[in-house]
Amino acid sequence: MTAPSKVKVLIIDDHPLFRQGIRWSLESAHDIEVVAEAENGQEAIKLTERFFPDVVLVDINLPGLNGLEVARVIKRREPRTGIIVLSVYEDEEQLFQAIKVGAAAFTSKDISPEELVHMIREVARGRYLINDAVLAHPNVAARVLHQFRELAATDEEDGASLFAPLTSREIEILDCIARGLSNKEIASELSISSQTVKNHITSILAKLQVNDRTMAVIVAIKKGWIKMGYSQSSEG
């Protein structure tokens, strides 16, 4: 039997000591391999095209071509590469910009080695961990959803895009999720049980073929479906 392929990781940071620290942290994970390191954006882009990493760790504050610009270029050229943006501190503006360039995760540099290994594995599996950060920052969530609503309003291909394979109750719940409400808060607002909310969310995720709440909202907005939910809530 052939051994399972390892997750190939590219580290991009202008501090050699930090790059070495990440490499050491990942050496204990037998399913992860650091294929290359880069100290600037131009070098990182070339190495991405050479090694085709599964996951790229990029410092947001690179000199010259900054980490967000590097992430944008890499995602455009290699859409299947997962991007993890690293920052000295968790900043809402940086988080918002990381979402816009297609990053799969955003974390501060004080993340533990164990957490980083877990994050790399999840991103390599296609998880979009940045959703958790979005839900923890309502202001960022509002900005993201506003942008997607504008995109949906200007990018509708035809009337068919307004069709939603969701019930009116499911659209109400999506609207609540878009406003950052927890399951308990949704249950209280709609006068239903928390278990019923969970059941509806499970149905929504299955119908939209997504793995989490935020992606469900984003898909619905991009398709134009959630407009019904927003109009209902505005009238109420």
Side-chain angles (χ1 to χ4, degrees), residues 19-230:
R19 294 199 309 270
Q20 187 62 57
I22 292 180
R23 181 181 282 274
W24 284 342
S25 297
L26 301 182
E27 283 182 348
S28 61
H30 302 297
D31 58 336
I32 296 174
E33 176 186 7
V34 177
V35 294
E37 299 176 19
E39 63 179 11
N40 59 63
Q42 290 81 0
E43 182 185 9
I45 293 168
K46 292 178 181 178
L47 290 173
T48 299
E49 294 175 343
R50 177 181 175 186
F51 290 101
F52 300 104
D54 301 300
V55 177
V56 169
L57 305 177
V58 57
D59 178 16
I60 200 168
N61 293 315
L62 291 175
L65 196 65
N66 69 42
L68 293 170
E69 293 168 334
V70 173
R72 181 182 290 108
V73 172
I74 291 175
K75 286 300 292 184
R76 185 181 301 125
R77 298 185 182 183
E78 302 295 336
R80 284 183 280 185
T81 298
I83 307 290
I84 298 177
V85 175
L86 303 172
S87 178
V88 174
Y89 54 90
E90 292 189 7
D91 175 84
E92 287 195 347
E93 179 60 29
Q94 291 182 341
L95 170 59
F96 178 68
Q97 296 302 327
I99 294 165
K100 289 181 65 176
V101 301
F106 177 88
T107 183
S108 62
K109 285 188 170 183
D110 63 0
I111 186 173
S112 71
E114 295 78 16
E115 290 173 322
L116 181 59
V117 167
H118 175 72
M119 181 175 286
I120 290 171
R121 287 170 175 158
E122 292 295 287
V123 169
R125 294 186 183 108
R127 289 287 310 282
Y128 198 67
L129 301 180
I130 206 165
N131 292 341
D132 298 331
V134 171
L135 291 175
H137 296 82
N139 292 335
V140 177
R143 289 180 65 186
V144 172
L145 294 170
H146 176 70
Q147 287 223 343
F148 276 112
R149 290 173 70 187
E150 288 187 337
L151 178 63
T154 59
D155 195 36
E156 290 177 5
E157 296 179 0
D158 52 51
S161 64
L162 296 176
F163 169 73
L166 306 173
T167 66
S168 59
R169 176 63 85 187
E170 288 169 345
I171 291 172
E172 283 184 298
I173 288 175
L174 267 181
D175 177 63
C176 291
I177 294 172
R179 289 187 281 119
L181 302 186
S182 67
N183 286 6
K184 184 176 180 180
E185 290 169 332
I186 295 172
S188 175
E189 177 156 324
L190 300 181
S191 300
I192 57 179
S193 70
S194 294
Q195 185 58 52
T196 299
V197 173
K198 291 180 182 178
N199 293 342
H200 280 304
I201 292 176
T202 298
S203 174
I204 291 168
L205 299 184
K207 287 180 179 180
L208 301 188
Q209 298 182 348
V210 294
N211 295 322
D212 53 72
R213 295 155 53 106
T214 304
M215 283 306 297
V217 172
I218 289 172
V219 168
I221 291 174
K222 289 178 72 175
K223 295 288 188 182
W225 299 338
I226 203 169
K227 289 179 181 179
M228 292 179 283
Y230 278 104

